[in-house]
Amino acid sequence: MAWHLVKLYSRFIIAYIKTITAYKPLFVIMDVVINVAFTLIQLTVVWLLLYRFEGISSWSFYEIVLLYNLNIFSYSLSAMFIWNPMKDLQMMVRDGSFDSMLIKPINPLLHMIFKQFSHGHLITVIFGVVIFFKCFNALHIEMTWEWSIWLAVNILGAVLIHSAIMILAGSISFWAVKSDSLFQMVIYDFRTLTNYPIQIYGRGVQLLLAFVIPYAFVNYFPARLLLDKEDSSIFPNLFIYGTPLVGMISMGLAYAVWRRGIRRYESSGS
Amino acid sequence: MGIQVENLVKTFRRPRHREGILGALSDLVYREYDEKKAVDNISFKIEPGEVVGYLGPNGAGKSTTIKMLAGILTPTSGSIRVGGLIPHTQRIENTKRIGVLFGQRSQLWWEIPVSESFQLLKYMYKISEADFRKRLGVFEELISLSDIYHLPVRILSLGQRMRAEMCAALLHQPDVLYLDEPTIGLDAVVKENIRNFIKQTNQETGTTVVLTTHDMPDIEKLCSRVIVIDRGRVMFDGNLEMLKHRFGSQNKLIVEVEDGLPDPQRLLLNGADEVIQEGRSSIITYDRNRRNSAGFLSDLAQLHKIIDFSVNEPDIEEIIRRMYKSLNQSDVESRN
Ligand SMILES: Nc1ncnc2c1ncn2[C@@H]1O[C@H](COP(=O)(O)OP(=O)(O)OP(=O)(O)O)[C@@H](O)[C@H]1O
Ligand SMILES: [Mg+2]
């Protein structure tokens, strides 16, 4: 089963590479250049901003960068697979071309993920890896086995959380054919809140970020775990281990909503 | 594989748009919906290996039914079994046994060559290399693929693309084939090729075929049975002979006489349903179950010298047209 999917995915990748090399190599190169430039600019702005503060409350500069990077990195990793499908979904539901996802013998969500590949986000992912190592170095983190596994598991959990939120936002298309970006914007704007340690916010925002849109589990709690950091948020200390669990729960919920959405899917008249 | 449909209903909810700026604003706040029963209590049973024409005027609910059979849409109520499976709940299992073609929409990947699309399908359906080669051989023989096999789908003409789509739908040797207007927009030659392809496939592998079309030769050439629906309801279900008998009993007698035109009034009195006179010929429509051409001709021969005559039985096109017309009339009557 799993092996079959790997073979299928590699076939999709081959098809994807053939497409871009055959029809629009220039376009892809331009796209990559723009993406690199854009990411660099973005990072510089954040870097300068943080540098001026020289850290926030008890967090040092590189700790904040790590916090920031946990968010961006896991987001990009997730977006690399899920962003394009969810962006296309609205169109596909509206014009009925989602039909073709439902008459093939693979899971429609997986099919949507397989049939595209967002190279733009791949670039951010690569930058993310570089920044991670820069942080580990500057913070003199010793990368033991145990620590590395915690890092991987937390990143995985964070990726699940981001994916779940994107899938939820995308699934709105099944309910409202003109699912407007309002909701999506709200969700994505909340994401930027977690670029800072959440204890700088009031109680309401902290609760929101932990329980409603669990962005706090994307970076704040994992960062505290990884940095072994005491802090004054309103939550019990145990929460720093919560990311993998929250990731799985969020994904389970999002997938249930997605499935309900498919049941409601109405195709189009012609 | 057989298909069983019982009391199938599909209701769509359509947002009602109110007029003007105020209307648009109130739509934003509170949206009202109209309900539309696209499929209204349809039942039928299709045996394995049958080729069934699923017919009806525009908007009758044909595509909606096909989409439910394929597992794309969830029925509002009623039940569907395709080879024992429920399409929308056992969707993935079901997709392995069905082939689907929508004439209006492509199932192939737009940017990549047909060959690459087929490779993807091969992996998706887990088709073995040997089977794959064999299928391509069969396709080549029946409909010829090699001329388009390495071209990207987006540059194919409609006819070329449809050939590729047909093969794509049949690559995994499905037991059931759903074709929603497979010949729409094709020229006469490609249409004929596609029809032959469908016929051969059915005969050689016993594939069950459900086909919607507005093209009458499709039906005559392919369908042993037709189901006609209108406004979501079954109006007729039976073989073509029965359909001809019910809606095709009106013959046309075309006569030419030497001295001008015969009196239409007299013909009508003799039992003609309609008399149309064009140039030198008179077209007399009559019900073959009640009158016959010999009757009209012997009566005409008393007053005129007959130069030429012919009797036309209605073709399937005419029969369906008449049938749709009568569906419309009963609509008007039921509304009054
Ligand atoms: N997704 C949808 N949402 C709302 N109404 C729909 C939808 N799909 C179809 N309908 C309506 O359902 C009815 C049946 O449509 P359907 O497409 O099944 O007709 P059809 O028999 O295939 O017609 P045609 O011959 O024109 O293709 C139409 O009145 C159509 O407007
Ligand atoms: Mg249709």
Side-chain angles (χ1 to χ4, degrees):
Chain A
M1 182 66 199
W3 179 234
H4 167 239
L5 288 178
V6 171
K7 281 203 298 191
L8 183 59
Y9 191 40
S10 46
R11 204 65 225 185
F12 269 103
I13 298 279
I14 291 171
Y16 173 79
I17 292 169
K18 280 194 183 168
T19 315
I20 56 176
T21 50
Y23 306 115
K24 39 187 185 186
L26 198 70
F27 172 80
V28 175
I29 293 168
M30 282 292 291
D31 202 42
V32 169
V33 170
I34 289 171
N35 261 296
V36 171
F38 188 75
T39 314
L40 275 175
I41 291 169
Q42 216 182 1
L43 286 174
T44 320
V45 169
V46 175
W47 201 272
L48 289 176
L49 216 65
L50 291 178
Y51 213 74
R52 265 197 33 188
F53 284 123
E54 291 185 337
I56 294 169
S57 66
S58 63
W59 294 61
S60 73
F61 172 70
Y62 274 105
E63 286 174 343
I64 297 278
V65 173
L66 182 72
L67 184 78
Y68 180 85
N69 197 44
L70 272 170
N71 185 15
I72 294 295
F73 179 75
S74 57
Y75 172 77
S76 310
L77 207 56
S78 157
M80 200 161 83
F81 299 105
I82 314 257
W83 173 257
N84 277 342
M86 289 306 126
K87 194 183 62 169
D88 295 346
L89 185 66
Q90 187 168 335
M91 234 355 248
M92 292 176 73
V93 167
R94 197 180 315 177
D95 71 10
S97 50
F98 188 69
D99 284 10
S100 61
M101 298 293 119
L102 297 175
I103 50 178
K104 297 278 154 51
I106 54 171
N107 180 301
L109 183 58
L110 221 49
H111 191 175
M112 297 277 285
I113 291 171
F114 279 13
K115 81 183 177 74
Q116 54 80 47
F117 180 74
S118 169
H119 46 258
H121 287 110
L122 179 62
I123 291 156
T124 332
V125 168
I126 294 168
F127 273 111
V129 174
V130 175
I131 294 170
F132 266 137
F133 280 102
K134 176 87 189 132
C135 288
F136 301 155
N137 230 333
L139 292 168
H140 305 293
I141 289 173
E142 198 189 332
M143 293 189 66
T144 61
W145 265 108
E146 200 199 339
W147 190 88
S148 305
I149 288 171
W150 270 117
L151 178 70
V153 166
N154 274 285
I155 287 174
L156 205 68
V159 167
L160 285 180
I161 293 172
H162 280 304
S163 306
I165 289 167
M166 279 187 239
I167 290 168
L168 271 176
S171 300
I172 298 171
S173 315
F174 290 119
W175 277 267
V177 172
K178 276 190 200 151
S179 74
D180 277 307
S181 38
L182 186 70
F183 181 81
Q184 303 191 5
M185 260 164 43
V186 170
I187 279 194
Y188 297 130
D189 282 348
F190 272 118
R191 194 163 60 86
T192 57
L193 287 178
T194 56
N195 288 341
Y196 311 100
I198 63 165
Q199 87 258 19
I200 66 169
Y201 303 113
R203 210 184 157 77
V205 177
Q206 289 192 30
L207 284 171
L208 183 83
L209 289 173
F211 296 116
V212 184
I213 309 171
Y215 279 133
F217 286 96
V218 161
N219 59 352
Y220 174 72
F221 293 121
R224 275 184 50 196
L225 173 70
L226 295 168
L227 296 170
D228 198 11
K229 204 168 173 61
E230 294 293 316
D231 201 27
S232 56
S233 78
I234 58 173
F235 303 106
N237 228 355
L238 210 62
F239 273 42
I240 62 175
Y241 302 103
T243 299
L245 187 68
V246 172
M248 285 189 289
I249 294 173
S250 317
M251 196 61 188
L253 270 174
Y255 191 64
V257 170
W258 162 267
R259 300 256 311 200
R260 281 199 84 85
I262 286 184
R263 281 181 61 91
R264 279 187 57 105
Y265 172 63
E266 293 207 322
S267 186
S268 67
S270 64
Chain B
M1 237 166 48
I3 302 170
Q4 250 172 310
V5 171
E6 267 163 38
N7 305 108
L8 188 64
V9 175
K10 180 70 192 180
T11 310
F12 288 114
R13 261 168 33 121
R14 295 196 280 208
R16 186 188 299 160
H17 292 287
R18 280 159 282 194
E19 278 173 29
I21 295 176
L22 268 179
L25 282 178
S26 44
D27 278 348
L28 273 179
V29 182
Y30 174 71
R31 189 160 279 171
E32 287 177 351
Y33 289 91
D34 287 329
E35 297 225 314
K36 162 87 193 173
K37 259 193 185 165
V39 170
D40 187 1
N41 206 22
I42 281 182
S43 305
F44 56 77
K45 190 162 183 264
I46 294 173
E47 301 298 333
E50 268 193 292
V51 181
V52 175
Y54 198 63
L55 314 180
N58 288 132
K62 302 181 296 294
S63 300
T64 306
T65 313
I66 299 271
K67 284 175 191 166
M68 284 191 281
L69 291 176
I72 294 168
L73 295 179
T74 308
T76 307
S77 66
S79 80
I80 304 175
R81 290 280 187 295
V82 179
L85 294 180
I86 303 170
H88 75 98
T89 56
Q90 298 165 294
R91 197 159 36 71
I92 292 200
E93 213 35 54
N94 185 54
T95 57
K96 292 176 187 165
R97 311 169 168 190
I98 65 169
V100 186
L101 184 147
F102 292 106
Q104 316 261 28
R105 208 177 273 152
S106 180
Q107 296 302 316
L108 297 166
W109 289 263
W110 206 240
E111 295 287 346
I112 58 181
V114 176
S115 56
E116 201 58 47
S117 271
F118 279 30
Q119 283 293 330
L120 281 172
L121 291 171
K122 177 183 164 220
Y123 281 83
M124 234 181 238
Y125 289 97
K126 301 185 196 167
I127 304 169
S128 74
E129 182 64 30
D131 277 349
F132 185 70
R133 293 273 141 234
K134 210 162 73 197
R135 296 300 290 161
L136 288 187
V138 172
F139 294 155
E140 183 59 37
E141 198 176 301
L142 288 179
I143 207 165
S144 84
L145 258 185
S146 49
D147 56 328
I148 53 171
Y149 197 55
H150 294 288
L151 301 178
V153 174
R154 71 190 160 84
I155 70 166
L156 298 183
S157 77
L158 182 63
Q160 292 171 331
R161 206 195 78 210
M162 217 50 108
R163 270 155 56 202
E165 302 268 359
M166 272 308 288
C167 297
L170 286 167
L171 196 62
H172 56 292
Q173 282 199 283
D175 294 321
V176 180
L177 186 59
Y178 301 119
L179 304 168
D180 194 353
E181 306 197 34
T183 55
I184 190 166
L186 304 181
D187 73 33
V189 176
V190 180
K191 266 185 193 172
E192 197 55 30
N193 286 342
I194 296 271
R195 281 179 208 135
N196 281 330
F197 189 32
I198 298 169
K199 204 176 179 89
Q200 298 269 344
T201 305
N202 167 259
Q203 282 171 353
E204 274 158 32
T205 57
T207 312
T208 313
V209 181
V210 181
L211 162 97
T212 85
T213 182
H214 293 293
D215 188 278
M216 295 313 139
D218 282 355
I219 300 166
E220 254 171 327
K221 189 94 203 283
L222 293 169
C223 305
S224 49
R225 172 179 165 200
V226 293
I227 298 175
V228 183
I229 63 164
D230 184 41
R231 273 158 289 144
R233 295 177 176 214
V234 176
M235 293 293 146
F236 176 86
D237 182 352
N239 62 32
L240 270 183
E241 287 313 308
M242 283 160 66
L243 185 72
K244 279 185 182 157
H245 186 76
R246 266 234 335 245
F247 295 93
S249 60
Q250 299 237 303
N251 279 12
K252 279 195 167 75
L253 169 66
I254 303 168
V255 269
E256 234 175 87
V257 295
E258 202 170 58
D259 37 2
L261 291 161
D263 176 15
Q265 219 48 50
R266 190 184 164 104
L267 289 162
L268 289 171
L269 277 177
N270 272 337
D273 291 332
E274 190 186 51
V275 178
I276 298 169
Q277 295 181 317
E278 278 172 11
R280 293 180 55 80
S281 46
S282 306
I283 305 165
I284 302 160
T285 311
Y286 63 93
D287 188 331
R288 125 175 117 221
N289 297 336
R290 291 187 289 114
R291 291 283 182 276
N292 56 45
S293 55
F296 287 110
L297 288 171
S298 62
D299 186 60
L300 282 171
Q302 287 174 12
L303 297 173
H304 309 271
K305 187 154 187 272
I306 295 171
I307 305 171
D308 194 9
F309 74 90
S310 63
V311 180
N312 289 353
E313 285 201 357
D315 58 9
I316 188 80
E317 182 120 28
E318 174 87 29
I319 293 171
I320 297 281
R321 196 181 319 130
R322 211 169 271 156
M323 179 166 177
Y324 287 180
K325 218 161 111 189
S326 79
L327 293 176
N328 253 326
Q329 265 162 11
S330 62
D331 182 29
V332 173
E333 276 157 25
S334 67
R335 255 188 253 153
N336 287 343

